[in-house]
Amino acid sequence: MDLAYLRAHPEHLPAFLTHQRIRETPVPGGSICTASRLTLDDGASLFAKSWGGAAQPVPNGFFETEAAGLRWLRDAGGAPVPEVIAALPDMLALEWVEPGAATPQAADRLGRDLAATHRAGAGAFGAEWPGFIGALPADNTPSPGPWPGWFAERRLVPYLRMSADGGALSAAEVALVEQVISRIDGYGGSEPPARVHGDLWPGNVLWAADARAWLVDPAAHGGHRETDLAQLALFGGVPHLDRVLAAYQDAWPLAAGWEARVPVHQLHLMLVHTALFGGAYRSAVRTTAEAALRG
């Protein structure tokens, strides 16, 4: 099997793997999935991932949704995104991207590239495909907005409820988040939908050997461009974050007060973490909500 054959017959990939016709090497990077590097007969490499949650079946449409988001982001012509080679119910195979260094120059390029991706826009908030954030569903039902109400209803409330119902948040944290939601109209939202990655924490930026930063593992949808930028600052931030933001601002300046709105945009992923992983992220939710209220 070579790359040309696989592009024409992606449905044959599982059979070739089952019969060990393709060299498969485990690699990091799958998160909730099992990741591997596939080496084809023509020497081409692919990044493949399959469902790793053995205790439960793969959610319906999980890999097809990621593939749709990758293609949509790639079509923007901004930040580079791996080509989808095969999108199957139980597996996703992508163009292999050789890792490289996170240089200041690559960070400058990421800022400009990300602005171009966002500028490509979206027809509505949400998307034409069902959404996932990690293993959790995300309501992507298209909406004309405006953004604040959409973000509260589709990106904060569902994960607040999951976290509360699962015992990950106490009544005090729930009340703090509810205060943020009650004030959501004050956090801006007059911009039209941007084409956003949607889960752009630093682990989903792949610094590559071609001196660019690639976007991987998206929860792509029409959203607010500040959300992607806020997520880049999570968990210590991407390398050279100041240069990423400066280059972005040069390419497409953000609205006044964007720094104060960063915690509001970050609150979504913090709630996703308490919904997925429990009380270990309780203090992060509290700290983020308090910062949002101060802003």
Side-chain angles (χ1 to χ4, degrees):
M1 176 182 278
D2 58 20
L3 188 55
Y5 181 91
L6 184 55
R7 283 194 173 106
H9 305 284
E11 70 279 4
H12 293 175
L13 179 58
F16 276 80
L17 286 170
T18 298
H19 296 289
Q20 299 181 333
R21 296 285 301 277
I22 298 173
R23 190 171 70 190
E24 185 174 11
T25 307
V27 295
S31 185
I32 58 174
C33 296
T34 301
S36 59
R37 181 174 184 167
L38 308 183
T39 305
L40 307 183
D41 291 338
D42 60 358
S45 287
L46 303 177
F47 176 83
K49 58 184 183 179
S50 56
W51 182 247
Q56 56 182 329
V58 57
N60 186 42
F62 183 78
F63 290 116
E64 295 93 330
T65 290
E66 182 173 344
L70 287 165
R71 292 182 178 117
W72 188 62
L73 292 171
R74 185 178 172 91
D75 286 346
V81 175
E83 177 190 357
V84 176
I85 306 299
L88 306 172
D90 298 317
M91 177 180 294
L92 184 66
L94 308 174
E95 167 188 6
W96 178 264
V97 179
E98 192 64 30
T103 65
Q105 293 74 25
D108 294 340
R109 183 69 182 271
L110 173 59
R112 297 191 297 271
D113 285 345
L114 195 56
T117 297
H118 291 165
R119 275 191 184 275
F125 293 101
E128 296 296 331
W129 48 84
F132 289 95
I133 182 78
L136 298 176
D139 186 351
N140 271 351
T141 305
S143 168
W147 174 81
W150 173 86
F151 187 71
E153 179 185 351
R154 308 287 175 82
R155 293 299 183 263
L156 296 182
V157 170
Y159 307 103
L160 175 62
R161 289 174 178 162
M162 290 181 204
S163 300
D165 291 348
L169 297 178
S170 71
E173 285 91 35
V174 171
L176 280 172
V177 176
E178 288 176 338
Q179 284 186 59
V180 176
I181 292 170
S182 71
R183 301 181 188 182
I184 199 70
D185 288 339
Y187 292 108
S190 60
E191 292 190 359
R195 189 168 304 207
V196 301
H197 178 284
D199 189 13
L200 200 55
W201 70 285
N204 285 341
V205 177
L206 174 56
W207 302 90
D210 65 358
R212 298 182 75 183
W214 292 58
L215 308 186
V216 298
D217 293 341
H221 62 275
H224 200 303
R225 61 195 179 113
E226 290 178 10
T227 300
D228 276 352
L229 298 173
Q231 291 172 350
L232 285 174
L234 288 169
F235 310 120
V238 293
H240 314 295
L241 177 61
D242 56 338
R243 296 189 69 130
V244 175
L245 295 174
Y248 188 101
Q249 288 274 48
D250 285 344
W252 190 12
L254 295 163
W258 67 269
E259 298 99 327
R261 294 188 291 271
V262 165
V264 178
H265 293 277
Q266 292 177 338
L267 189 54
H268 165 52
L269 281 193
M270 292 298 94
L271 290 169
V272 167
H273 274 69
T274 49
L276 277 171
F277 305 118
Y281 288 91
R282 175 181 295 171
S283 63
V285 168
R286 180 174 60 252
T287 301
T288 305
E290 288 172 344
L293 292 169
R294 287 194 301 271

